Amino acid sequence: MASATPPTTTVRAHEHDTLAGLCHRHLGRTAGTVEATLAATPGLAKRAAGLGAGESVKLVAAPVAPRKLIQLWD
């Protein structure tokens, strides 16, 4: 069975944007998405703290891990 590739979104950064800021603004969360984007884009980690205006970044929407259900009563 082939593994499904996570969906990506290409965005343009504003001056002094961070990768975490872009992930939060465009994908609605940072958990997992920052790591997945860094893994998919070699060299991005060196400039992720201060992106230039108009720089194109391909964000990777990592899958959300299921949360364990807690039941208070049987």
Side-chain angles (χ1 to χ4, degrees):
M1 179 161 89
S3 63
T5 58
T8 61
T9 303
T10 302
V11 298
R12 297 244 178 231
H14 298 279
E15 187 69 29
H16 304 295
D17 258 343
T18 62
L19 178 58
L22 287 174
C23 288
H24 187 266
R25 185 167 55 241
H26 294 281
L27 301 176
R29 62 190 173 93
T30 58
T33 59
V34 172
E35 295 84 353
T37 300
L38 287 172
T41 313
L44 181 60
K46 291 182 180 179
R47 54 187 204 280
L51 299 168
E55 187 171 345
S56 178
V57 179
K58 186 183 288 188
L59 304 177
V60 179
V64 178
R67 298 180 80 185
K68 184 178 178 184
L69 178 64
I70 299 174
Q71 292 184 337
L72 299 178
W73 296 275
D74 288 332

